[in-house]
Amino acid sequence: MAMNDHRGQPPAGAATRPGSGPSAEPHRPAEPYRQAEPFRPAEPYGPAGPVHPAELPAGPDLGAYRAAVADLLLDIAGHTGPGDVAKAEQVLAERISGAEIAAVLSATPEGSVAAGQRLIREVRHYRPSTRSSATDLASHIRIHLFALIDIMWWGHARAFVTDADLLGSAELIDLEPLRRAGQLRFRYRRQARSLPARVARAADRRLRPGRLPHTAGLRFARTRREVAALLDQVAADFAAAAGPLAPPLWVTSLARSIEQQRQLRALGYAASLPSAHCAGYALDIEMTWLRRFGAREVLAAVLLDRQRAGHVNVIDEGQAWHVCLSPAAVTGLSGSTRWAGAAGPSGAGRLSGAGRLSSAGRLSSAGGLGG
């Protein structure tokens, strides 16, 4: 997730206040800070191989879940100071046993008890960070609660444990050849890896502030074909709704390895583990920069419409919004001819006039400054 309030989430609905249940970990005094225990899958994210969406059963009522989370956050909002962690932990432990939230926890691969305990640990070990998209404890809790939807959808899928796993995966496509050919409807920039590149980028920000989003850029310009197809559609919908003077859609993060996700956590980012980024089904989209053009709310409406349709899970993380593709949407996007032949790690190409990618050489996993 990307890198805090209720913006971007559906309006809060009323929810009952259940008592504590078996899934709630007993309250303990606050401990000295240590990083939350990292997620260590035995087989990356469980069973080997991808999950076939058609085989997945119907899930919980996500509208009711989001409303229950919004109601929970109203209680947490009064307990977000440095000395309020224990109280926030107690409120969370009591509320996650409610029917709407418990249904999602139970649908995750780890089960309701383990999922609830992991949420409690995230609260207990929370520390503010200027790098984190969670501006306070309530934002931190909100991000992790909504990330449970991603985990429910993709927690059984094989993850990319190391950067090498991600770079070598035939399940992902490299977007660089298509970007260089000007065939993407959305934009991104690569991380500046060398000192001269970082100096040049810093100078450009000083000379032309606000020309581009203030983002570090993608470490890997790799994603699943279905995610690329979704971005294509969202970018087209956004352009149509925002008008010709609006800027293009900007992507700030795509597939990540568990190795990278752990690094982000260690640096203080609100990076969940497990994460749909590590299975290739999540992305982050720049939002704050769009305010300069009066286009932020237009893109928000496009994304939330897709969430209401059940195509994605959206988490408002401030500067960027986290978007995770649903299994139901993957089924529909798998038939997109525009990306059906897109190149994996051993071949590059271009989109043909018929909308297919034809192989023509070897992909580069490097990349320049982007733009």
Side-chain angles (χ1 to χ4, degrees):
M1 253 177 248
M3 310 178 298
N4 287 310
D5 54 314
H6 280 5
R7 290 171 303 174
Q9 305 301 339
T16 58
R17 299 178 179 273
S20 57
S23 63
E25 184 178 313
H27 172 65
R28 300 170 184 165
E31 305 173 358
Y33 173 68
R34 61 182 175 84
Q35 186 174 326
E37 183 178 335
F39 177 68
R40 294 187 176 89
E43 280 286 338
Y45 277 43
V51 171
H52 298 289
E55 299 173 1
L56 296 175
D61 183 341
L62 296 184
Y65 176 75
R66 292 186 177 103
V69 169
D71 192 52
L72 180 156
L73 292 170
L74 292 176
D75 281 354
I76 295 289
H79 307 287
T80 58
D84 289 334
V85 170
K87 179 60 178 177
E89 179 185 326
Q90 182 179 21
V91 171
L92 180 64
E94 292 172 352
R95 300 295 299 278
I96 61 177
S97 60
E100 296 86 356
I101 296 179
V104 171
L105 267 66
S106 298
T108 63
E110 57 195 331
S112 59
V113 174
Q117 290 173 345
R118 183 168 53 78
L119 284 171
I120 296 298
R121 287 198 301 271
E122 291 289 355
V123 173
R124 186 175 298 159
H125 301 141
Y126 168 75
R127 288 295 182 274
S129 169
T130 55
R131 288 172 165 164
S132 176
S133 55
T135 56
D136 57 23
L137 180 58
S139 300
H140 182 75
I141 293 170
R142 177 175 56 80
I143 288 170
H144 286 285
L145 281 168
F146 284 125
L148 281 172
I149 297 174
D150 295 11
I151 297 169
M152 177 186 70
W153 284 343
W154 301 113
H156 283 297
R158 178 181 289 276
F160 309 109
V161 178
T162 66
D163 291 352
D165 292 338
L166 189 152
L167 288 170
S169 174
E171 297 177 11
L172 303 180
I173 59 172
D174 192 326
L175 298 178
E176 280 294 279
L178 302 179
R179 184 183 70 150
R180 291 170 184 153
Q183 295 181 301
L184 297 179
R185 293 192 177 111
F186 52 91
R187 296 184 68 186
Y188 62 85
R189 71 192 310 176
R190 298 298 301 272
Q191 286 185 4
R193 307 303 290 268
S194 67
L195 179 59
R198 290 195 293 269
V199 170
R201 186 168 290 182
D204 183 65
R205 281 198 298 264
R206 287 195 300 271
L207 293 172
R208 298 183 291 179
R211 183 180 73 92
L212 299 176
H214 191 180
T215 175
L218 300 184
R219 183 169 177 175
F220 306 112
R222 297 179 62 76
T223 190
R224 293 186 180 271
R225 292 166 176 80
E226 295 86 356
V227 171
L230 171 75
L231 280 168
D232 221 31
Q233 293 178 8
V234 170
D237 290 348
F238 172 57
L245 299 181
L249 184 78
W250 271 84
V251 178
T252 62
S253 184
L254 289 167
R256 301 176 191 155
S257 65
I258 292 178
E259 177 183 355
Q260 182 187 3
Q261 197 77 348
R262 286 175 176 161
Q263 291 170 354
L264 292 173
R265 285 174 68 86
L267 290 171
Y269 291 100
S272 299
L273 268 176
S275 169
H277 278 289
C278 301
Y281 290 104
L283 61 131
D284 295 334
I285 295 178
E286 172 68 33
M287 297 295 288
T288 297
W289 179 67
L290 296 178
R291 284 200 177 102
R292 297 172 54 89
F293 310 91
R296 180 190 180 279
E297 299 310 317
V298 176
L299 180 54
V302 170
L303 293 173
L304 292 175
D305 279 348
R306 287 188 175 262
Q307 177 169 274
R308 282 187 286 271
H311 299 164
V312 297
N313 180 41
V314 176
I315 306 177
D316 178 352
E317 297 188 2
Q319 179 180 344
W321 279 19
H322 169 92
V323 180
C324 177
L325 199 58
S326 75
V330 166
T331 302
L333 291 167
S334 296
S336 173
T337 58
R338 178 171 165 82
W339 303 96
S346 60
R350 57 183 178 81
L351 291 175
S352 68
R356 285 187 174 273
L357 192 77
S358 57
S359 297
R362 183 175 181 80
L363 284 179
S364 167
S365 61
L369 288 174

